[in-house]
């Protein structure tokens, strides 16, 4: 079902000027994830952010690229990371929305863009935009931005994620997707991740 909030969704690649916004969303994402992993924040209240830093570094490379180079093509031979932001205009009727300016509702980090397979490394939608079709539409738009082979990992213990990513894979590739368990590198003490794989075309 498409809701007014999902219908108003816009997505775009993250650029260097989005660093603060991404950092705020990253903290929300990692805080929520810590409920599943038991991870505690650093002494300064932050969480590990190597993935975010990689995406911001590639965004900076894209920003410095020649004018005739598409941003999504810049810096990919190095790390192949890209951040994508989602904004939505809140539905009318709430006087507190002050002109209904688009609000950030999520982000995605994609890696492997310089190689054969894209990996959706991190994906987050704020709680206030969930159960409105925003996450599924955002995921579809991210996947459509980078056609080709895809892999997405999640944990079986996160039941909503299991159902969500299977639905996203079906939206993208029909029944032409596979699912397998893979050990977490360097973590024999934790359950394996579940990986969904599929391929999209332009």
């Amino acid at each position: 079902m498409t809701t007014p909030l999902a219908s108003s969704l816009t997505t775009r690649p993250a650029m260097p000027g989005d660093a603060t916004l991404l950092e705020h969303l990253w903290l929300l994402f990692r805080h929520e994830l810590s409920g599943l992993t038991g991870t505690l924040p650093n002494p300064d209240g932050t969480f590990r952010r190597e993935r975010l830093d990689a995406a911001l570094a590639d965004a900076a490379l894209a920003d410095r690229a020649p004018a005739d180079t598409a941003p999504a093509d810049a810096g990919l031979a190095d790390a192949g990371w890209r951040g994508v932001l989602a904004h939505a205009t809140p539905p009318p009727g709430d006087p507190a929305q002050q002109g209904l300016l688009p609000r950030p509702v999520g982000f995605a980090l994609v890696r492997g863009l310089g190689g054969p397979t894209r990996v959706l490394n991190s994906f987050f939608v704020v709680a206030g935009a969930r159960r409105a079709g925003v996450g599924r539409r955002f995921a579809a738009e991210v996947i459509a931005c980078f056609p080709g082979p895809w892999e997405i990992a999640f944990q079986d213990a996160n039941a909503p994620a299991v159902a969500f990513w299977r639905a996203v894979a079906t939206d993208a590739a029909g029944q032409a997707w596979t699912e397998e368990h893979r050990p977490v590198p360097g973590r024999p003490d934790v359950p394996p991740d579940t990986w969904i794989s599929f391929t999209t075309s332009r």
Side-chain angles (χ1 to χ4, degrees):
M1 180 180 68
T2 301
T3 65
L5 193 63
S7 297
S8 72
L9 192 74
T10 59
T11 61
R12 63 174 176 81
M15 301 304 289
D18 297 314
T20 298
L21 171 57
L22 276 168
E23 288 165 356
H24 291 167
L25 292 173
W26 179 260
L27 283 176
L28 293 173
F29 166 64
R30 293 295 302 189
H31 168 69
E32 184 165 306
L33 195 61
S34 71
L36 290 171
T37 63
T39 303
L40 297 178
N42 298 322
D44 63 356
T46 64
F47 289 90
R48 291 182 59 177
R49 47 175 286 168
E50 292 91 343
R51 303 175 197 171
L52 176 61
D53 289 338
L56 290 173
D58 268 11
L61 286 172
D63 195 47
R64 293 196 299 269
D68 61 349
T69 302
D73 295 332
L76 300 184
D78 297 323
W81 288 83
R82 202 69 177 128
V84 183
L85 284 165
H87 287 76
T89 301
D94 184 351
Q97 299 298 348
Q98 298 182 1
L100 302 179
L101 294 175
R103 305 292 179 88
V105 294
F107 77 94
L109 301 184
V110 181
R111 66 175 171 84
L113 295 177
T117 304
R118 301 96 176 87
V119 178
L120 190 53
N121 190 276
S122 303
F123 184 87
F124 177 70
V125 172
V126 299
R130 295 175 193 168
R131 293 174 295 280
V134 170
R136 199 155 158 182
R137 178 164 178 176
F138 181 33
E141 293 193 7
V142 171
I143 291 166
C145 284
F146 310 107
W150 275 91
E151 293 187 339
I152 302 170
F154 53 88
Q155 293 74 44
D156 286 341
N158 187 352
V162 174
F164 177 80
W165 289 117
R166 287 174 176 169
V168 167
T170 300
D171 290 344
Q175 298 304 312
W177 55 269
T178 61
E179 186 175 306
E180 65 176 325
H181 288 97
R182 301 180 192 170
V184 179
R187 294 295 307 274
D189 56 314
V190 300
D193 287 334
T194 300
W195 286 81
I196 275 183
S197 303
F198 56 87
T199 299
T200 64
S201 59
R202 292 187 184 276

